[in-house]
Amino acid sequence: MQDTQDQGAQGGYVPSAVEAAAQRYWNETRAFEVREDSTRPKYYCLSMLPYPSGALHMGHVRNYTIGDVISRFQRQQGKNVLQPMGWDAFGLPAENAAIKNNTAPAKWTYKNIEHMREQFKRMGFAYDWTREVTTCRPEYYRWEQQMFTRLMKKGLVYRKNSVVNWDPVDQTVLANEQVIDGKGWRSGAVVEKREIPQWFLKITAYAQELLDGLDTLPGWPDAVKTMQRNWLGRSEGLEIQFDVDGEAEPLSVFTTRPDTLMGVSYVAVAAEHPIAIKAAASNPGLAEFIASCRAGGVSEAELETQEKRGYFTGVEATHPLTGEKVPVWVANFVLMGYGTGAVMAVPGHDERDWEFAQKYSLPIKMVVVDRTVVDAIAELRRDLAAGDGADPVNLALGGGSTDAYQANAAVEVVKAFEAAVQDTGAYTEHGFLFNSGEFDGLEFRAAFDAIAAKLESMGRGQRRVNWRIRDWGVSRQRYWGCPIPVIYCPTCEAVPVPEDQLPVVLPEDVAFSGVQSPIKADPEWRKTTCPKCGGAAERETDTFDTFMESSWYYARYTSPDANAQVDERANYWLPVDQYIGGIEHAILHLLYFRFYHKLLRDEGLVGSDEPATNLLCQGMVIADTYFRKEADGSSTWFNPDDVEVQRDERARIVGAVLRSDGKPVEIGGVEKMSKSKNNGVDPQLMIGKYGADTVRLFSMFAAPPDQSLEWNEAGVEGMSRFLKRLWRDVSSHAEAGATQAVDVASLDAGQKTLRRQLHETIQKVTDDVGRRQSFNTAIAALMELSNALAKFDDASPQGRAVRQEALAAIVKLINPFTPHVSHALWQVLGHGETLVEDAGWPAVDQSALVRDSLTLAVQVNGKLRATIEVPAAASKEEAEAMARAEPNVARLLEGQTVRKVIVVPGKIVNIVAG
RNA sequence: GCCGAAAUGGCGGAACUGGUAGACGCGACGGACUCAAAAUCCGUUUCUGGCGACAGAGUGUCGGUUCGAUUCCGACUUUCGGCACCA
């Protein structure tokens, strides 16, 4: 007897059984495989594809649960939803694992993919697995090679030298993350900069379009758009030529502040600049300085934070306007790859130039003052200016004084300004020119134009738009990546591999030691013939940046079996309606993604200008860290699972001890889950303990999607309790038998109130999930409704009918979050085994939302003093009268004069008195 | 260094368009059930004072706008993300 009961609807919630049953049903019915269907609105929901690192981590769980919630929600809205999944399978970790475990990167990668695919299935994500993409497969990367060769023919690809991190001991190129404190991670040797030839994609040719396109993306977060705008870094300025002693060619510099030209006190060039190298030939000190600039890595963060150092070349340049000589310095913060590799320095009006001038005792000349200086001088000269119609600003700063006393006073004002500014560094604001000869008195814009015009007429300068963004370097000196489809011929030079010879396949069954790429080491692989002249030639052995694969996978999902990069199906699905991924991709990946879409468009492969209309960037998953300092100064990190937290009587944390020995450990704060801090929580363990639905629900409930999420197992238990309660509520209701339809006309007050809350909840959850993407508050609203339902003690036929309506709505509303539970409970509510996604979404009954009365807050002088119930139809005057009649309000108003009353209907009455 | 975010009870968070700060969950405390425990259920829970009605304080810090500011503006502090070869 007892057994039968346990297995019945009353038997309680067993996540593993519920989840296996639902997943079996989805699998057998191929529920989430989709096709193009012109009769239904499409919805393409895409989560960034994962790197197959070995096992699912909490960051994945969060990212992919968000995508699944949105996908299932949209399917319930009747959309034809595409939600695909694939693997960003090339990359550095496979090489590292290969060295460590002595396996081939390919084997390791494929094993990881198998394992992670099973884990994804266990989470119940509604993917169309028939569209799975694996970027390390030749059938994927051949199209990327084809695109590259086409771009070569279009002139959008070129080869030039650029700097890499070079480990002089291991004789290898290092990634930025492999450079730690300027040293190689394995060898410990000081890393050097080295120039090697590399392939570049001309993203700068699309810079303006990438910038303008941001204005067409209202569905992207402002933070991402701002970061991209700043990264593109459009600036309008002037390229100015300085003659250099002993050089035939003038030195070009770019500046956005030509108004400060008269304040130039030196010119600085990069260590690799031809002028510097030439000067160093006869100057050992300079040669040594240039050599010292080679130490250290190439990352911008490292370059920008290193000490600013310089060395005089001994060469002088000529100021294009004054003809004065200015020294040419080499500076380690000027980079050959940025702009012209040379800058004009105005220490009076640029902080970095100011620091440099201070350090090397170079002259500082101020040529811009602010409005207060102009006003002060204008004041002194007012008597003179009045009547003769002269511009007081020009007169004050440059017009020449006819009165010695006033001229001296003006000089004092300027001196005081200079002194005040020099205390804190350069004056970098726009202002009015002085000390600038014929340009004195002009304001920024006018000065810019006047100086530009003058230099242009002299042939010494050109107006130019400069971009911060540099072309995309796609060459990597690594094995585990897509081979760059180029052949080097001694006579024909670099030739693209003909399309009928693609793909250039990367051999997968290789021995990999880590020192050299197997395809670089194998002369046989390199050997080929020139497609142009048929002579002996060699293949390129560099591989692509892995951002190349992740820049177009979204398009391949639409036509995974096409005998082309994509086919016409792309235009049914694209653009992506919702893209979801980490904020860490805000610039690089998302810019390359937008760029590549325009390349596809210009190849005639897609019709849209942007790849994704809406973007959601989710926060990180973080957890507490605990550690002990060891005798040697290193730290040992303990998993939060092994630590017990101690609290005082107010439940504030006062310490923590290790469970195994009871001795204290230090609390290290909350950080991103990582192996190094040992604070990772394994999703697999959590799924085993609580089930996938609980894990999904917690990861959506604990924080808004765009903020960081703190993992907390007690919170997970709370979610589990909620699902058990829901299960019990639905089961016991269903056990009591079928219900009649709700008769809206004959509801009592309690039934009406519950029904109002039900429809308010439907409204809120629809808005929270559909528009606001505020999943945590949607879940909270469902919990509130379910709490109200628990207190709704009404077993009458009408009461049971209302309860049936509410429970059915909850099961549908919670389905995007906990699809397995909904799948089971939908059957318990008497619907047979069907797809809840196709059962639709509850509709709001507007008539159920009507209220008879409203609660208003009553403030006196902005402080809350009472709340009042007013009829929904009450006028402002009636609300004010009721507020004044409230005893606590009347008491406070006694003897006071009411100066103002603000009534916001439905919200507040504020009485200002005093 | 530069660019972009964030900061609210003991904790995670809510307050959507400037209108009752603390929804929902966790934890803690009290109670019910139980021989007992677990599970479950009910109640209390921002801080200070007060038996209470109530009063005072309070959204990182300092200042401003407003009848009214977690919300808008200015300055600052701390933490996090990115900085072109981690993905």
Side-chain angles (χ1 to χ4, degrees):
Chain A
M1 277 304 283
Q2 228 177 344
D3 281 348
T4 351
Q5 266 202 351
D6 275 359
Q7 284 162 12
Q10 287 283 11
Y13 168 49
V14 183
S16 56
V18 167
E19 290 173 5
Q23 286 164 17
R24 191 185 317 115
Y25 179 78
W26 297 332
N27 202 29
E28 283 169 2
T29 58
R30 304 179 159 220
F32 303 112
E33 293 178 18
V34 281
R35 273 199 207 149
E36 302 68 43
D37 174 358
S38 56
T39 65
R40 277 194 298 165
K42 66 94 184 178
Y43 194 93
Y44 184 178
C45 182
L46 179 69
S47 299
M48 287 183 188
L49 88 176
Y51 179 79
S53 55
L56 191 65
H57 60 64
M58 281 299 173
H60 293 134
V61 167
R62 190 178 192 196
N63 193 164
Y64 302 132
T65 301
I66 294 169
D68 203 46
V69 168
I70 294 171
S71 295
R72 289 180 188 264
F73 172 80
Q74 290 296 343
R75 173 97 175 237
Q76 282 180 269
Q77 308 300 314
K79 305 266 178 70
N80 188 30
V81 176
L82 168 60
Q83 191 188 203
M85 185 41 66
W87 312 98
D88 188 17
F90 278 135
L92 206 50
E95 295 196 357
N96 296 334
I99 298 163
K100 201 171 154 192
N101 310 323
N102 202 25
T103 55
K107 203 177 159 191
W108 180 85
T109 302
Y110 293 131
K111 199 187 85 211
N112 288 348
I113 289 174
E114 290 305 311
H115 181 227
M116 287 175 74
R117 190 189 299 113
E118 288 316 301
Q119 289 190 306
F120 276 41
K121 288 184 174 171
R122 183 64 188 84
M123 283 298 294
F125 297 137
Y127 296 136
D128 179 352
W129 283 105
T130 65
R131 294 167 184 268
E132 184 178 359
V133 147
T134 304
T135 63
C136 65
R137 301 295 307 155
E139 55 269 28
Y140 179 80
Y141 63 67
R142 69 166 292 179
W143 305 113
E144 160 181 334
Q145 292 177 334
Q146 177 181 294
M147 175 62 101
F148 184 81
T149 60
R150 290 186 180 180
L151 294 174
M152 272 179 97
K153 290 167 199 156
K154 274 187 171 177
L156 285 168
V157 168
Y158 65 100
R159 199 165 182 243
K160 71 162 188 190
N161 279 353
S162 73
V163 280
V164 293
N165 300 303
W166 179 255
D167 186 321
V169 171
D170 281 354
Q171 294 281 299
T172 180
V173 175
L174 298 179
N176 282 336
E177 74 157 6
Q178 296 173 319
V179 179
I180 296 153
D181 296 329
K183 298 187 178 103
W185 66 333
R186 274 187 227 285
S187 69
V190 173
V191 169
E192 295 172 2
K193 297 178 188 71
R194 171 171 282 213
E195 284 208 0
I196 56 171
Q198 309 216 60
W199 289 101
F200 286 82
L201 252 54
K202 274 194 196 165
I203 192 171
T204 51
Y206 286 78
Q208 189 68 51
E209 207 199 330
L210 287 166
L211 180 66
D212 295 341
L214 293 171
D215 296 329
T216 69
L217 296 172
W220 281 42
D222 288 333
V224 171
K225 288 187 282 188
T226 305
M227 280 191 269
Q228 292 210 349
R229 263 184 213 109
N230 291 336
W231 185 261
L232 290 162
R234 185 183 199 277
S235 57
E236 289 179 14
L238 213 57
E239 193 168 301
I240 301 173
Q241 281 81 43
F242 284 70
D243 282 328
V244 179
D245 294 354
E247 296 285 329
E249 287 294 308
L251 176 65
S252 275
V253 302
F254 177 81
T255 179
T256 56
R257 291 296 302 272
D259 59 312
T260 63
L261 181 59
M262 301 303 260
V264 169
S265 56
Y266 60 101
V267 178
V269 300
E272 304 87 15
H273 198 282
I275 289 178
I277 291 166
K278 191 176 161 195
S282 57
N283 185 339
L286 178 61
E288 201 176 301
F289 176 79
I290 290 172
S292 77
C293 288
R294 275 218 306 275
V298 298
S299 75
E300 188 184 275
E302 193 179 335
L303 295 171
E304 289 282 331
T305 50
Q306 73 186 351
E307 196 198 350
K308 312 236 174 325
R309 297 182 303 129
Y311 202 93
F312 179 44
T313 58
V315 176
E316 291 194 311
T318 307
H319 192 287
L321 290 186
T322 64
E324 281 172 23
K325 295 287 182 190
V326 291
V328 178
W329 281 64
V330 175
N332 66 344
F333 57 82
V334 181
L335 301 167
M336 200 58 216
Y338 296 27
T340 60
V343 297
M344 67 179 216
V346 187
H349 304 288
D350 181 279
E351 276 172 37
R352 195 173 58 183
D353 295 345
W354 187 84
E355 280 170 38
F356 194 84
Q358 288 282 320
K359 183 167 177 178
Y360 294 106
S361 305
L362 290 158
I364 298 172
K365 183 184 174 193
M366 297 204 70
V367 292
V368 178
V369 291
D370 71 5
R371 166 68 74 178
T372 61
V373 175
V374 174
D375 289 348
I377 296 175
E379 180 71 18
L380 285 168
R381 307 252 332 163
R382 194 169 47 185
D383 298 343
L384 290 173
D388 63 8
D391 174 3
V393 172
N394 185 39
L395 194 60
L397 288 178
S401 177
T402 51
D403 180 289
Y405 169 74
Q406 283 170 328
N408 283 336
V411 167
E412 291 306 313
V413 171
V414 171
K415 276 189 175 162
F417 174 76
E418 286 186 15
V421 168
Q422 297 229 349
D423 277 353
T424 48
Y427 177 68
T428 58
E429 307 292 309
H430 290 173
F432 298 86
L433 266 58
F434 77 110
N435 274 346
S436 294
E438 65 188 279
F439 309 106
D440 278 353
L442 295 179
E443 214 205 329
F444 171 77
R445 194 65 243 176
F448 186 119
D449 291 337
I451 291 176
K454 174 108 180 175
L455 287 170
E456 276 170 340
S457 72
M458 295 165 68
R460 314 287 333 179
Q462 308 80 38
R463 287 170 185 269
R464 245 192 64 192
V465 171
N466 196 50
W467 295 87
R468 203 186 85 91
I469 190 173
R470 312 194 299 263
D471 278 330
W472 178 10
V474 295
S475 294
R476 296 293 180 270
Q477 296 68 48
R478 310 195 187 290
Y479 156 71
W480 190 234
C482 169
I484 297 178
V486 171
I487 291 166
Y488 298 105
C489 168
T491 45
C492 310
E493 301 189 323
V495 184
V497 175
E499 289 184 11
D500 60 7
Q501 291 176 30
L502 293 176
V504 178
V505 177
L506 184 77
E508 295 189 347
D509 186 16
V510 296
F512 185 74
S513 67
V515 178
Q516 204 187 13
S517 160
I519 60 173
K520 288 185 193 295
D522 180 1
E524 287 307 306
W525 188 85
R526 285 210 301 269
K527 212 179 279 177
T528 185
T529 52
C530 172
K532 263 192 187 167
C533 68
E538 290 208 342
R539 292 188 185 285
E540 168 69 87
T541 57
D542 278 0
T543 52
F544 280 137
D545 176 5
T546 56
F547 277 129
M548 282 287 260
E549 287 85 55
S550 57
S551 292
W552 69 281
Y553 73 105
Y554 69 96
R556 186 68 185 173
Y557 283 140
T558 65
S559 32
D561 51 1
N563 188 30
Q565 190 155 17
V566 297
D567 62 24
E568 70 287 347
R569 288 171 286 179
N571 281 330
Y572 172 79
W573 292 110
L574 291 174
V576 170
D577 294 278
Q578 179 68 61
Y579 195 27
I580 304 133
I583 185 70
E584 66 272 20
H585 295 293
I587 295 173
L588 292 180
H589 163 67
L590 289 172
L591 205 55
Y592 296 144
F593 169 67
R594 294 181 57 222
F595 170 51
Y596 210 104
H597 190 78
K598 294 173 198 304
L599 295 178
L600 291 171
R601 179 200 61 193
D602 292 348
E603 274 296 309
L605 293 167
V606 297
S608 42
D609 291 324
E610 291 286 343
T613 46
N614 293 290
L615 173 69
L616 174 61
C617 289
Q618 101 270 9
M620 295 173 308
V621 181
I622 56 180
D624 290 315
T625 57
Y626 303 96
F627 67 96
R628 276 185 194 153
K629 281 276 177 210
E630 301 298 332
D632 64 358
S634 68
S635 298
T636 305
W637 299 87
F638 300 101
N639 196 275
D641 265 358
D642 305 327
V643 171
E644 194 160 321
V645 172
Q646 300 168 315
R647 294 164 187 277
D648 66 9
E649 72 283 356
R650 301 201 71 119
R652 280 185 286 239
I653 293 169
V654 292
V657 296
L658 192 64
R659 278 188 223 278
S660 58
D661 62 13
K663 289 179 188 154
V665 294
E666 303 215 36
I667 300 172
V670 186
E671 295 200 43
K672 180 177 174 172
M673 279 191 183
S674 70
K675 277 184 187 145
S676 61
K677 295 287 166 69
N678 192 14
N679 63 339
V681 176
D682 185 1
Q684 192 86 40
L685 287 175
M686 289 292 125
I687 297 165
K689 207 161 162 187
Y690 301 101
D693 279 336
T694 294
V695 171
R696 292 169 59 117
L697 193 62
F698 178 75
S699 68
M700 292 298 96
F701 176 73
D706 56 342
Q707 284 177 30
S708 58
L709 181 151
E710 193 173 329
W711 198 261
N712 168 275
E713 196 164 339
V716 180
E717 278 167 17
M719 293 304 106
S720 179
R721 274 198 289 273
F722 170 69
L723 289 180
K724 281 181 197 158
R725 222 156 33 225
L726 179 63
W727 185 277
R728 205 173 46 229
D729 291 349
V730 173
S731 303
S732 59
H733 167 77
E735 292 259 309
T739 57
Q740 60 185 48
V742 176
D743 175 13
V744 180
S746 68
L747 297 175
D748 67 25
Q751 292 159 352
K752 254 188 182 159
T753 303
L754 186 83
R755 219 170 154 267
R756 192 183 68 224
Q757 190 174 353
L758 164 64
H759 286 274
E760 282 172 353
T761 304
I762 295 171
Q763 196 171 43
K764 178 162 176 59
V765 173
T766 308
D767 190 48
D768 279 357
V769 177
R771 180 183 64 89
R772 296 178 65 209
Q773 299 181 327
S774 173
F775 309 117
N776 53 329
T777 53
I779 296 166
L782 287 168
M783 287 174 166
E784 276 186 88
L785 177 60
S786 128
N787 289 344
L789 212 48
K791 291 197 176 77
F792 179 67
D793 190 18
D794 184 345
S796 70
Q798 276 285 32
R800 293 200 62 243
V802 170
R803 186 182 298 276
Q804 171 82 16
E805 184 190 5
L807 288 172
I810 291 174
V811 168
K812 282 185 184 177
L813 293 172
I814 207 167
N815 178 64
F817 304 98
T818 59
H820 311 90
V821 164
S822 287
H823 180 79
L825 292 183
W826 194 239
Q827 295 174 65
V828 174
L829 286 173
H831 296 275
E833 189 168 34
T834 59
L835 195 65
V836 180
E837 278 71 16
D838 290 341
W841 193 254
V844 177
D845 177 356
Q846 292 295 337
S847 69
L849 298 176
V850 176
R851 283 172 183 270
D852 300 331
S853 67
L854 299 167
T855 308
L856 258 57
V858 183
Q859 295 182 340
V860 177
N861 291 332
K863 272 189 195 295
L864 181 72
R865 297 301 178 181
T867 56
I868 52 173
E869 275 290 304
V870 300
S875 68
K876 281 192 175 191
E877 290 70 24
E878 286 163 338
E880 183 184 335
M882 288 178 75
R884 281 171 179 260
E886 195 67 17
N888 202 34
V889 176
R891 181 175 64 80
L892 283 153
L893 291 180
E894 213 166 306
Q896 305 274 324
T897 315
V898 173
R899 300 188 189 282
K900 200 173 176 185
V901 180
I902 293 120
V903 183
V904 181
K907 300 266 185 189
I908 205 166
V909 179
N910 186 12
I911 302 169
V912 184

